[in-house]
Amino acid sequence: MKAVILAGGTGTRLSEETDVRPKPMVEIGGRPILWHIMKIYSSQGVNDFVVCLGYKGYLIKEYFANYFLHMCDVTFDIASNTMNVHQSAAEDWRVTLVDTGDETMTGGRLKRVAPYVREGDFHFTYGDGLADVDLDALVALHREQRVLATVTAVEPPGRFGALELDGDRVVDFAEKTRGEGGWINGGFFVLSPEVVDYIDGDATSWELEPMNRLAAERQLAVYKHSGFWQPMDTLRDKNHLQRLWETGRAPWRRW
C-alpha cells in the first residue's frame, strides 16, 4: 500500500517556524516531522509515499534530493569531484513529490495525486500529526467494513489541567485529561481510489463535502484509537513533542 501525506499548508499558527519552511519540515529531534510520520508508516511495512506539496514545497524536494547530506557523514574529494558516504542511513522508501498548488485545499490536493494511487486502497494523513496507530488493525477494519473510507478517531488531550479541591485546598492535580470534546478526526485514513470522485476540485476541503457525503452514504467507517495522538498546531505542541523525543518517551517511535 501507498501512503499519501498532505504537506502543502502554510502553518500560520506556527509562524515562528513556518515563515521560512513548510510546516512538515519543522523539526522534532533534529528531523522534520514529515520524516517522523514516514517512519511511523515504514516501521509497519509501508514504504511507498506520495507527498502533496504546496507552500515552500521546493524545500521538501531539496531534503529528499540531498537525503544523504542531511543524514550521513560524508567526505568530498574536490579534486576528483566525488563524494564518499561514511554512514549509510538510507531508508527503504520510494517517495513521489507532487506540486499540488499553494492555495489548493486538502481535498483538491488528494484529487491532484489520484493518478499515483489508482492501484488499490491507500493510506492518507496530514503532515503535522504523530500517533502510535496500529496500521494493520486500521486496514483490517477498513476491509472488513467494505467501505470507501475509514477515518481514525481520537480523543484529543485536554488543553488545561484539572484541580481537585477540598475546601480551599488543592488535594490533587491532573496534568491533562482526555476526551473533553469526544472523538475527533485524527487523520490516518485508509481510502479506496473511488473517493476522488467525491472531490470537485482544488477548492474542495476533504473534511467537508467529501467526508459528509461519504458519511451520508454509509461509506465512512471509523477506527477508534485510544493511544497516543498529538498534532503540531502551535509552538507549544512542537515543544511538547520535542520534550517527549529528548526524554526517550516518544510513543510514536516504533523503530
Side-chain angles (χ1 to χ4, degrees), residues 15-34:
S15 60
E16 302 92 341
E17 296 271 1
T18 55
D19 280 347
V20 296
R21 72 188 81 185
K23 190 177 181 183
M25 291 302 291
V26 175
E27 294 185 351
I28 304 296
R31 301 283 183 266
I33 192 171
L34 176 62

Side-chain angles (χ1 to χ4, degrees), residues 1-202:
M1 291 180 67
K2 294 183 179 181
V4 175
I5 304 176
L6 293 171
T10 57
T12 54
R13 287 186 290 177
L14 197 60
S15 60
E16 302 92 341
E17 296 271 1
T18 55
D19 280 347
V20 296
R21 72 188 81 185
K23 190 177 181 183
M25 291 302 291
V26 175
E27 294 185 351
I28 304 296
R31 301 283 183 266
I33 192 171
L34 176 62
W35 179 89
H36 289 267
I37 295 167
M38 294 169 75
K39 289 289 282 186
I40 290 170
Y41 280 101
S42 66
S43 67
Q44 300 183 64
V46 179
N47 294 297
D48 197 344
F49 299 95
V50 178
V51 183
C52 305
L53 306 182
Y55 172 72
K56 297 187 182 294
Y58 68 92
L59 291 175
I60 298 177
K61 288 183 177 180
E62 184 277 331
Y63 178 76
F64 287 105
N66 296 293
Y67 193 76
F68 280 120
L69 297 183
H70 288 284
M71 302 293 289
C72 307
D73 294 333
V74 297
T75 295
F76 293 100
D77 189 321
I78 306 301
S80 62
N81 192 29
T82 60
M83 179 182 74
N84 183 29
V85 178
H86 297 292
Q87 298 174 351
S88 177
E91 308 287 349
D92 187 21
W93 294 350
R94 185 173 185 268
V95 185
T96 302
L97 304 172
V98 184
D99 287 313
T100 57
D102 284 359
E103 304 299 327
T104 307
M105 301 297 287
T106 51
R109 295 189 192 282
L110 177 57
K111 194 174 185 72
R112 286 207 187 192
V113 302
Y116 300 97
V117 290
R118 289 173 175 162
E119 299 87 354
D121 293 344
F122 60 94
H123 293 278
F124 177 56
T125 197
Y126 305 105
D128 62 356
L130 299 174
D132 57 353
V133 174
D134 184 334
L135 299 177
D136 287 341
L138 169 60
V139 172
L141 182 138
H142 174 77
R143 291 176 174 167
E144 176 186 290
Q145 294 294 315
R146 298 183 180 182
V147 292
L148 296 180
T150 298
V151 57
T152 296
V154 298
E155 295 180 285
R159 183 179 177 186
F160 303 105
L163 299 177
E164 183 178 336
L165 306 179
D166 181 8
D168 58 359
R169 296 297 178 92
V170 176
V171 296
D172 196 11
F173 175 72
E175 183 177 354
K176 287 186 179 180
T177 56
R178 299 186 67 86
E180 293 178 345
W183 296 93
I184 66 168
N185 169 15
F188 295 94
F189 298 86
V190 175
L191 305 177
S192 298
E194 293 84 355
V195 299
V196 299
D197 296 332
Y198 289 71
I199 302 169
D200 291 333
D202 285 356

